[in-house]
Amino acid sequence: MRRVNAGAAQKEPEKSVSGRQPWKTGRGASERQSEKTGRGAAGRQSEQSGTHVTGKQPGKSGPTDTLRVIGRALGVSMRVKKPYSLVISLAGFPAALIPAAISRYMGRFTDHVQGIYTGRETMEAALGVMALILVLYLLQELLRIGQEYCTEADKAAVELYIQETIMDCSAAVRYQYIENEDDFQDRLSFLEQYGTYKVALSMNLVIRLAQSGLTFVTVAGSLAVIDWRILILLLATGLPAMWLSAAQNAADYKANARNMKEMRMVNKFYSIADGMIYQGRARYTIQFAGAYPWLKKRWRETADDYIAKKRRIARKFIGWNLLADLLRNGVLLVVLLLTAWKIYETPALGLGMFMSVYLLSRQLQKVTGTLFTDGAAMLGDVPYMKDFFALKDVPREPEERAPVELKQADIVYDHVSFTYPGAKTEALEDISVTIRQGEKIAVVGRNGSGKSTFINLLCGLYEPAKGQVQVGNLKVYDHLASVRNAISVAFQNFGRYETSLRNNVTVGDTSRTVEDQEILDLAAGTGADQVIAAQKDGLSEMIGSFSERGNNLSGGQWQKLALTRALIRKKSRIIILDEPTAALDPMAEARLYRRFTGLTEDKTTLLISHRLGIASVVNRILVFDKGRIVEDGSHEELMARDGVYARMYRAQAKWYQ
């Protein structure tokens, strides 16, 4: 999931510093569309000033929070492991004792060799110890190879789990978070760019840290038996490396958070330039206007600035890390000199002691470095894990345990008002209206008048601030599954799926097997039959930008499929068509309206449109203005009233002459 920025990103995120929270972009509500003013604040009741939905400041954890996060990470790591990986992980605990054992037996082997020289030991005894050492080395190496393989496999499994969790969250989270680009979407982007890799790595580190801790205890205990001062000296000189590792990881998180906006800008410019987004439609403007040199310059300036910030921090830590390494290696030389002097003063200690001290010291430095580095890395990645687990805790839509099938679906708005979080004005104000089963309703009005909000509340995407919306005597937000099963919607921003024509239609009703003939019958009404007939493989044709033949459709063709998809749901009692003819040419629009009654049958139908040609196919029109229903009636009644609708219709009358 980590996109590689051309010239601006590496395989792993680099390290730099900042203090900005990953989802605090500073964009204001003024950037929203008129009807959506203030939606950027959605869900901030517990996220003010860049905090999590859990109310905690990201990146700052107390000991209890840290342990809780690490515990959750361990639980995830154990769940995703394959059986063989779990066996190898458990085998790592007794194997953690091997380094201390090797050091001890190497000391004995040295004493045996010295004894052979003086005539006090036999060759057989020395070879026996050497055989044991070789067995231990072999076991250690085999386990290391197995652990390396399992680490990569486990990391891939954890990354898959994280990606699946992100998808599940996006599919079930309350809709205001989907609309909330300033917070939720940036949080997703941050996790996809940095969190997935780091969370997966840290989850695998938990078990490795426990095994390293066991190795540390056994090696440190063996050294303490020989001379506790050596142990203290080696540990003390490892502290700078630990501090630097912790500081570098903290700087990494802060830098990634602050520079996230720049990173997204680099990706955005690159994606526009190479046609990855908008299905290449931005390329038309770029080529026609000759905008590529300007776009490339902006991409290069943003990428260079992004990289420069990271390099400054990298240079800062290089020198300190070099000094820390020199200190650790220097103290090892001091330890060996002291040990040699001790043996010189007391020859009875033997050369085996020198070998044991050397190997134990090297092992202690290695395992201490691993503990400090991995521990600091995991503690540094705790903020990423907190971000991930906080994402899992974002409020979901309420679940309905036992959905019912609605036989009748009268729609009732009872004094409904709604204000988008952070907005100063109501998007809907005291709406009361009843729509009977089978009515054909047009919902019209200017941009920002409340039409989309009216439909969003009916679909349960938002919960009313005041009043209630009912379908079939059920409160919509309390019975989301039942109500949504009774509704079929073709949104203005309809889905374009990279799959076959058949699947693009049948995805509208996955509860049953849809026969091809049923698809073709509906397609004849929506005009999608022409789209199907034009394809070499008919319904089996793969379509979309990534299809084998690059067989992408036009906007009007995609819309015809979307309409067919909405109509395929047999159990729906309500059909909502949002700007159903926006991408159609006038002739296709006229054909659709002529067939409209046959297509919608006895189902309640709501059409949201700016194009008032729909007046000919509905028996009732709701006119919205400034969040209120200002007119309600048939086309003839509203024209006779000479109000808002009449003025709108006369302005468009030439379109329908």
Side-chain angles (χ1 to χ4, degrees):
M1 294 182 68
R2 300 188 306 280
R3 180 180 299 162
V4 178
N5 306 326
Q10 298 180 2
K11 185 176 181 180
E12 299 179 28
E14 300 176 17
K15 295 178 171 61
S16 61
V17 71
S18 137
R20 187 166 175 179
Q21 302 308 331
W23 45 86
K24 191 72 172 176
T25 63
R27 293 166 57 193
S30 61
E31 296 182 52
R32 302 294 185 188
Q33 297 175 359
S34 55
E35 187 179 331
K36 297 182 180 181
T37 301
R39 289 194 198 183
R44 291 189 188 172
Q45 292 87 345
S46 58
E47 296 185 62
Q48 294 293 337
S49 302
T51 56
H52 284 294
V53 292
T54 54
K56 301 292 184 182
Q57 186 76 7
K60 296 182 179 180
S61 304
T64 303
D65 287 338
T66 298
L67 290 175
R68 185 181 298 115
V69 169
I70 292 174
R72 292 181 74 174
L74 179 60
V76 170
S77 181
M78 297 302 289
R79 283 200 302 273
V80 302
K81 281 181 178 294
K82 298 291 185 182
Y84 65 83
S85 178
L86 188 59
V87 170
I88 290 178
S89 293
L90 295 176
F93 286 97
L97 306 176
I98 291 178
I102 289 176
S103 299
R104 184 176 304 171
Y105 284 118
M106 281 297 294
R108 290 186 183 179
F109 175 75
T110 304
D111 286 338
H112 278 300
V113 171
Q114 185 181 16
I116 292 172
Y117 179 75
T118 60
R120 293 182 292 103
E121 296 285 351
T122 64
M123 180 64 72
E124 290 76 6
L127 291 176
V129 175
M130 176 54 69
L132 182 57
I133 293 172
L134 290 175
V135 170
L136 291 174
Y137 267 121
L138 180 61
L139 290 174
Q140 189 178 46
E141 187 64 16
L142 289 174
L143 184 63
R144 183 190 64 80
I145 294 172
Q147 286 177 331
E148 286 182 356
Y149 172 79
C150 290
T151 295
E152 289 302 312
D154 291 344
K155 186 163 73 70
V158 172
E159 286 185 345
L160 186 64
Y161 168 82
I162 294 169
Q163 292 174 7
E164 183 179 1
T165 300
I166 290 174
M167 290 192 298
D168 290 345
C169 175
S170 298
V173 72
R174 296 194 180 207
Y175 193 74
Q176 62 259 36
Y177 291 97
I178 300 299
E179 286 283 307
N180 185 2
E181 296 177 5
D182 291 279
D183 293 309
F184 185 79
Q185 294 297 338
D186 282 352
R187 190 184 310 177
L188 289 181
S189 175
F190 185 76
L191 281 171
E192 290 168 358
Q193 181 70 17
Y194 298 112
T196 299
Y197 172 80
K198 287 184 172 291
V199 173
L201 192 63
S202 294
M203 287 180 178
N204 283 320
L205 277 178
V206 177
I207 295 176
R208 196 168 83 183
L209 275 169
Q211 294 170 350
S212 297
L214 183 57
T215 300
F216 173 82
V217 170
T218 56
V219 171
S222 299
L223 266 177
V225 170
I226 295 172
D227 193 330
W228 63 269
R229 292 170 297 183
I230 294 176
L231 176 62
I232 299 299
L233 186 60
L234 290 170
L235 292 178
T237 53
L239 290 176
M242 178 188 67
W243 178 85
L244 282 171
S245 184
Q248 200 162 357
N249 277 282
D252 181 31
Y253 176 79
K254 292 178 181 179
N256 292 339
R258 165 175 269 180
N259 297 332
M260 189 189 66
K261 184 177 181 181
E262 287 81 356
M263 175 270 295
R264 293 188 70 190
M265 286 292 290
V266 171
N267 277 333
K268 193 65 173 284
F269 280 124
Y270 178 74
S271 298
I272 293 174
D274 80 343
M276 289 171 60
I277 61 175
Y278 310 132
Q279 296 168 328
R281 284 173 287 179
R283 183 71 63 80
Y284 303 151
T285 302
I286 294 169
Q287 291 188 206
F288 180 80
Y292 178 73
W294 173 85
L295 187 63
K296 181 178 179 181
K297 181 182 178 182
R298 290 286 292 119
W299 168 76
R300 171 57 67 184
E301 290 173 348
T302 308
D304 287 347
D305 183 61
Y306 177 71
I307 293 173
K309 291 177 180 178
K310 291 179 170 291
R311 284 176 176 168
R312 284 196 292 270
I313 298 303
R315 287 194 298 267
K316 174 183 176 182
F317 282 99
I318 285 174
W320 290 111
N321 282 322
L322 178 60
L323 289 175
D325 288 339
L326 289 174
L327 179 62
R328 294 174 67 218
N329 291 326
V331 79
L332 178 60
L333 180 60
V334 172
V335 166
L336 294 178
L337 289 173
L338 291 175
T339 304
W341 179 258
K342 190 171 183 178
I343 295 172
Y344 174 76
E345 290 185 325
T346 313
L349 294 174
L351 292 177
M353 179 181 177
F354 184 87
M355 179 61 72
S356 293
V357 169
Y358 171 72
L359 291 177
L360 288 170
S361 297
R362 294 291 294 177
Q363 289 288 353
L364 184 70
Q365 285 192 328
K366 180 180 178 181
V367 73
T368 302
T370 299
L371 276 173
F372 286 169
T373 302
D374 289 353
M378 190 177 68
L379 291 176
D381 289 345
V382 163
Y384 296 95
M385 290 191 286
K386 281 192 69 179
D387 291 341
F388 170 69
F389 289 124
L391 179 67
K392 294 186 67 176
D393 296 333
V394 172
R396 302 308 205 254
E397 288 185 331
E399 293 186 10
E400 186 179 7
R401 294 185 177 180
V404 298
E405 183 177 346
L406 297 180
K407 298 300 182 181
Q408 72 84 24
D410 288 350
I411 302 168
V412 178
Y413 285 72
D414 184 13
H415 296 286
V416 172
S417 296
F418 179 78
T419 305
Y420 289 107
K424 295 180 181 179
T425 58
E426 290 182 317
L428 291 181
E429 181 182 352
D430 197 29
I431 297 293
S432 291
V433 66
T434 298
I435 299 172
R436 299 298 180 189
Q437 176 71 51
E439 283 193 280
K440 313 299 181 187
I441 306 291
V443 180
V444 303
R446 299 180 179 87
N447 287 335
S449 60
K451 305 187 302 297
S452 294
T453 306
F454 180 76
I455 296 304
N456 287 341
L457 293 179
L458 175 59
C459 295
L461 300 181
Y462 293 99
E463 185 176 14
K466 298 178 183 177
Q468 62 184 28
V469 182
Q470 291 184 332
V471 174
N473 296 321
L474 297 179
K475 290 184 180 180
V476 171
Y477 212 73
D478 293 341
H479 300 84
L480 287 178
S482 297
V483 171
R484 288 176 178 172
N485 287 339
I487 297 177
S488 183
V489 189
F491 290 105
Q492 185 175 3
N493 295 321
F494 46 81
R496 305 183 183 198
Y497 303 107
E498 299 280 342
T499 182
S500 67
L501 272 166
R502 180 183 295 103
N503 290 341
N504 261 279
V505 175
T506 58
V507 71
D509 191 352
T510 57
S511 64
R512 64 189 180 96
T513 300
V514 180
E515 300 296 332
D516 285 357
Q517 190 57 50
E518 182 181 351
I519 298 174
L520 295 173
D521 291 343
L522 280 175
T526 62
D529 57 333
Q530 299 173 358
V531 181
I532 298 169
Q535 309 305 318
K536 179 181 178 181
D537 295 328
L539 286 170
S540 299
E541 183 75 19
M542 302 300 292
I543 57 175
S545 300
F546 297 99
S547 60
E548 185 175 346
R549 293 198 287 265
N551 187 16
N552 202 2
L553 305 181
S554 69
Q557 290 174 319
W558 278 115
Q559 186 159 44
K560 290 173 183 177
L561 287 180
L563 291 171
T564 310
R565 180 164 60 239
L567 295 169
I568 205 72
R569 298 187 68 172
K570 282 295 185 183
K571 292 184 179 180
S572 65
R573 307 302 302 153
I574 300 169
I575 298 177
I576 301 172
L577 304 178
D578 190 356
E579 298 290 354
T581 61
L584 302 183
D585 59 68
M587 294 183 64
E589 180 182 18
R591 282 197 300 269
L592 177 66
Y593 287 157
R594 284 197 300 269
R595 301 165 180 170
F596 178 78
T597 301
L599 289 171
T600 57
E601 299 175 334
D602 62 343
K603 297 178 180 180
T604 305
T605 308
L606 283 80
L607 297 110
I608 302 91
S609 181
H610 293 89
R611 297 160 73 164
L612 301 186
I614 57 175
S616 62
V617 298
V618 300
N619 47 42
R620 184 178 173 192
I621 301 169
L622 301 179
V623 184
F624 278 78
D625 188 40
K626 297 180 180 179
R628 299 180 67 90
I629 298 177
V630 294
E631 295 178 1
D632 180 355
S634 67
H635 170 72
E636 292 75 15
E637 291 170 345
L638 297 184
M639 290 300 294
R641 192 175 301 176
D642 196 25
V644 175
Y645 175 81
R647 291 193 294 273
M648 292 173 58
Y649 189 83
R650 283 194 291 269
Q652 298 182 18
K654 59 182 179 181
W655 299 355
Y656 310 108
Q657 293 175 351

